[in-house]
Amino acid sequence: MHIAVLAGDGIGQEIMVEAVRVLEALDLPGLRLDHADVGGVAYRKHGHPLPPETLDLAKTADAVLFGAVGDPELDGLRRELRVESAILGLRKELQLFANLRPANAFAGLENLSGLKPEIASAIDLLIVRELTGDVYFGEKGQRQTEDGLRQGYDVMAYDESEIARIAHVAFKAAQGRKGKLCSVDKANVLQTSVLWRAVVEEVAAEYPDVELSHMYVDNAAMQLVRNPGQFDVIVTGNLFGDILSDQASMCVGSIGLLASASLGEGTKGQYEPIHGSAPDIAGQGIANPMAMILSAAMMLRHSFADETNAQRIEKAVSTVLADGVLGHDLGGSASTSAIGDAVVAAVQK
Ligand SMILES: NC(=O)c1ccc[n+]([C@@H]2O[C@H](COP(=O)([O-])OP(=O)(O)OC[C@H]3O[C@@H](n4cnc5c(N)ncnc54)[C@H](O)[C@@H]3O)[C@@H](O)[C@H]2O)c1
Ligand SMILES: CC(C)[C@H](C(=O)O)[C@@H](O)C(=O)O
Ligand SMILES: [Mg+2]
């Protein structure tokens, strides 16, 4: 069980400490944790946000546990050196095209999102976000128009194989859940989405037991707030999935609660919270480590087929939240380490 631990920047460092403590508390046989620099930390030390030794470790390890990258002081760097390029580079290099972002209600947090409690408590959804295509990886740049104006561009493109493989992941996920899949696109405007919808329909023929629907992304954003309980699995492109998952996190209570798994064809995966380095609270010991801890649970499930320990972590997190050990993001006063202490104690019970 060889894990590359890439804590990264800002609160990435703080929340990773707690996730590692939880993993160590499980007494996993053969657990080997190798740390490496990524993001702004790596740029400052090695001159690159994704140094070759970090990429090598990520490639040789069985799984990658990733904190967050993002350093406002380095925002002016050119594109290839921007610290966010580290996370995009890892996803692309490891061919992790499927990003699973589950959002489910936690007992005790029903009043926190501002949604009516009966609406908030019905949330149990999975966003399947395509992760290696779309505007993120299309041709991009800045140029001058014929009129001498500066113009920025990012090409949105998906080919049918990219759409089909993420659709298969989503249909299979739906089969293991409530059997409902909603494909989210913007097919009333975008040609990318017209093809997306057509390919998802074709793939659907192989999954007659899954009920497929389609929704435009603007409506989906609204429905996530109006009635999130209507969703089981959502499949969508890279950009829409990025935005909708942040939104879903707040329906649950906080972005500090949502974990993710980035997967490819094999068992190798990268596991990371959906949030970033949170420079506004970094260094204060108040970041919520739950998303990071739950990412470690997803790692045990998807890369090591260890459902027992994955559930041990998830149950511990639910218990700690239900007991009212809440971070500042949830209106409580528990510090990052106090939350970690509580989860460690709960997994050992
Ligand atoms: N996976 C990643 O590494 C990742 C993801 C998103 C953003 N980023 C980067 O992070 C930097 C900051 O971006 P941003 O501010 O837009 O998004 P962010 O997710 O870092 O923070 C958004 C807000 O949520 C709060 N927040 C986030 N995680 C929290 C946690 N665990 N506990 C409590 N509060 C939390 C922050 O304090 C902030 O107010 C940028 O450089 C961005 O590019 C990285
Ligand atoms: C940091 C950024 C590149 C990243 C993304 O947009 O994918 C982040 O927002 C995420 O959600 O993982
Ligand atoms: Mg995001």
Side-chain angles (χ1 to χ4, degrees):
M1 194 178 265
H2 182 201
I3 299 164
V5 181
L6 313 184
D9 302 318
I11 64 165
Q13 295 285 338
E14 302 165 47
I15 58 177
M16 188 63 86
V17 170
E18 307 309 326
V20 165
R21 286 177 63 211
V22 171
L23 281 175
E24 286 173 339
L26 293 173
D27 280 329
L28 301 165
L31 177 66
R32 174 177 159 203
L33 302 166
D34 280 339
H35 296 251
D37 297 322
V38 73
V41 169
Y43 176 80
R44 287 170 197 277
K45 270 204 224 167
H46 314 279
H48 198 282
L50 182 57
E53 51 274 30
T54 301
L55 184 57
D56 283 350
L57 173 63
K59 282 184 172 167
T60 49
D62 301 318
V64 179
L65 208 49
F66 188 99
V69 291
D71 181 337
E73 285 179 19
L74 299 174
D75 276 351
L77 292 172
R78 64 172 200 276
R79 177 154 60 88
E80 310 75 65
L81 290 180
R82 262 203 78 108
V83 303
E84 289 84 355
S85 71
I87 195 171
L88 302 177
L90 279 164
R91 291 169 181 172
K92 199 68 174 177
E93 286 282 337
L94 303 176
Q95 298 176 32
L96 305 173
F97 64 88
N99 185 218
L100 311 186
R101 299 191 157 189
N104 54 273
F106 290 99
L109 305 189
E110 299 84 356
N111 289 309
L112 289 177
S113 66
L115 301 182
K116 289 195 185 115
E118 63 273 22
I119 290 178
S121 58
I123 301 172
D124 180 12
L125 61 89
L126 172 68
I127 296 177
V128 178
R129 170 191 177 196
E130 200 289 331
L131 203 59
T132 51
D134 203 342
V135 287
Y136 281 70
F137 293 95
E139 193 191 340
K140 54 178 68 234
Q142 293 189 19
R143 59 193 170 201
Q144 278 218 327
T145 65
E146 284 175 4
D147 304 330
L149 297 175
R150 287 174 299 158
Q151 186 182 56
Y153 60 96
D154 300 87
V155 173
M156 178 182 273
Y158 271 123
D159 70 38
E160 56 185 315
S161 70
E162 291 173 312
I163 302 167
R165 69 181 178 178
I166 193 70
H168 280 290
V169 171
F171 276 107
K172 287 188 181 120
Q175 281 180 324
R177 293 174 50 102
K178 288 179 224 142
K180 276 172 61 183
L181 176 62
C182 180
S183 174
V184 170
D185 63 34
K186 187 75 185 168
N188 49 352
V189 178
L190 303 174
Q191 279 305 307
T192 327
S193 288
V194 172
L195 181 68
W196 178 282
R197 208 173 260 226
V199 174
V200 171
E201 278 292 339
E202 286 159 23
V203 172
E206 295 177 45
Y207 302 89
D209 49 336
V210 175
E211 182 195 321
L212 172 67
S213 60
H214 301 275
M215 195 180 279
Y216 297 132
V217 63
D218 45 353
N219 184 22
M222 184 276 283
Q223 295 292 344
L224 262 179
V225 178
R226 190 187 74 89
N227 177 19
Q230 73 187 280
F231 295 111
D232 178 19
V233 179
I234 290 173
V235 64
T236 191
N238 205 343
L239 183 62
F240 298 157
D242 178 43
I243 298 166
L244 292 180
S245 51
D246 267 35
Q247 189 180 342
S249 76
M250 202 54 219
C251 298
V252 171
S254 164
I255 193 163
L257 294 171
L258 255 63
S260 86
S262 304
L263 307 172
E265 300 289 358
T267 57
K268 163 101 80 187
Q270 175 163 307
Y271 302 87
E272 51 183 277
I274 76 157
H275 64 71
S277 60
D280 55 339
I281 59 163
Q284 298 177 35
I286 58 169
N288 190 339
M290 290 307 203
M292 187 75 247
I293 292 169
L294 290 168
S295 299
M298 291 189 86
M299 176 183 77
L300 295 178
R301 169 172 298 122
H302 292 284
S303 281
F304 301 105
D306 186 353
E307 186 60 32
T308 308
N309 280 309
Q311 285 191 19
R312 245 172 107 188
I313 296 178
E314 288 164 352
K315 283 198 185 114
V317 167
S318 296
T319 305
V320 167
L321 291 170
D323 286 349
V325 182
L326 303 181
H328 294 244
D329 55 324
L330 294 169
S333 58
S335 66
T336 309
S337 60
I339 297 170
D341 288 344
V343 179
V344 167
V347 290
Q348 285 171 331
K349 259 189 201 147

